[in-house]
């Protein structure tokens, strides 16, 4: 049995506010007022300031000197910039796995992707949390990939983008519900590509998956913007 | 005339401590004690805590719950992990420039690289600050590239890696002094590749440059580790 240190207070505040930003309960462009958060949550102003630095690192807010913190924008341009770098970093993760692992090892490794496929296929696409389960399963594959690649800089950088990516999924959640069958197909292609040990093929599969998600998000966002 | 807001106190503390880490005045593995820093600099403990979060974002320290802050390690493995992601992000920056700009525009753009070449060639390699000037000129090219690519996520991610990269340059500073002529050659190859508008060629030039720096750093570090 292992005991884990509880999250620091500032981390707890960051997760609370972060969840509100990801679900767009706190809207893009909204100001976050230190004093108000401190009094609402009954915590010190210092803890809130630390939480805001954590949220800035996770790309969910921007802090302007003297003007304070503002929830990051969520526009066609910002989604494109975000997916550009995110897909690129995922490709790097994929390349590193293929470089480091081969043959039998890779087959063991890719059992994890197969498990996700099974989860995805078993999900009742009409169930209430189906999209969330599939999204969580996808992040689970990434966490497993981190262990294999063992580059803390890459892991940290990708993890810092995760909340902002999650927010874009929330935009397109209804679409994800409809497209769960399609997501399973992408997972299968990922698994096959990884098993082949062909870095180019894995990269193409990652890009195809990423571009698919990007387009889903963009199409909803464009509808919203023109509404 | 534009007025700039002064850096926040926590940013100033972060820069002060960051400079000490980059120059290895604060050694890898050293503990940074909040209370001691606060009393040495005559600032509040809260400001120090914020500064530590900024330094963690810049990959210079790690913060462990209850154990506090420790200067990031500087080993063959950590340098390899750092250069792996840094070179990859630079390649992305290069690809995006070529995607976005072409022909005449690219020629204007690459005037900046030529200026750096001139700086590098004019530097008296025996001068006291020659290596620092060349390193600063290199970062200047990056800042210019950010404007062209206009992806705040990529810029922020690269900028967050800059202090850790600077620290590795400090390890190999003597070598950089000797190799300034060679650095000029790499800059010329970068400029030529960018001008050609050939993304693959630019990527190869960036990789060759990055790998050259990595090897310089690694060779000194291996000497130190075996000493």
């Amino acid at each position: 049995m292992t005991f884990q240190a509880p999250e620091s207070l500032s981390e707890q505040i960051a997760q609370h506010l972060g969840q509100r930003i990801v679900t767009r309960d706190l809207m893009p462009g909204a100001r976050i007022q230190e004093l108000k958060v401190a009094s609402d949550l009954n915590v010190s102003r210092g803890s809130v300031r630390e939480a805001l630095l954590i949220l800035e690192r996770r790309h969910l807010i921007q802090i302007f000197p003297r003007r304070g913190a503002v929830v990051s924008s969520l526009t066609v341009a910002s989604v494109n910039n975000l997916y550009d770098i995110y897909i690129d970093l995922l490709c790097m993760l994929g390349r590193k796995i293929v470089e480091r692992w081969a043959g039998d090892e890779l087959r063991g490794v890719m059992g994890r992707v197969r498990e996700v496929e099974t989860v995805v296929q078993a999900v009742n696409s009409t169930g209430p949390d189906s999209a969330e389960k599939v999204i969580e399963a996808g992040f689970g594959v990434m966490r497993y990939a981190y262990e294999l690649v063992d580059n803390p800089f890459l892991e940290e950088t990708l993890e810092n983008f995760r909340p902002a990516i999650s927010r874009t999924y929330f935009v397109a959640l209804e679409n994800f519900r409809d497209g769960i069958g399609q997501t399973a197909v992408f997972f299968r292609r990922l698994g096959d590509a990884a098993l082949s040990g062909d870095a180019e093929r894995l990269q193409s599969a990652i890009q195809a998956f990423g571009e698919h998600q990007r387009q889903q998000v963009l199409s909803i966002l464009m509808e919203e913007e023109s509404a």
Side-chain angles (χ1 to χ4, degrees), chain A residues 54-68:
Chain A
I54 294 171
L55 290 172
E56 186 179 46
R57 181 194 321 188
R58 292 180 189 154
H59 312 286
L60 291 179
I61 67 167
Q62 286 179 286
I63 301 174
F64 299 99
R66 269 196 269 271
R67 285 198 291 140

Side-chain angles (χ1 to χ4, degrees), chain A residues 131-151:
Chain A
E132 289 82 349
K133 274 182 199 155
V134 170
I135 291 169
E136 190 42 52
F139 286 134
V141 171
M142 279 176 60
R143 280 193 292 271
Y144 191 56
Y146 297 150
E147 286 173 41
L148 300 175
V149 170
D150 196 20
N151 182 337

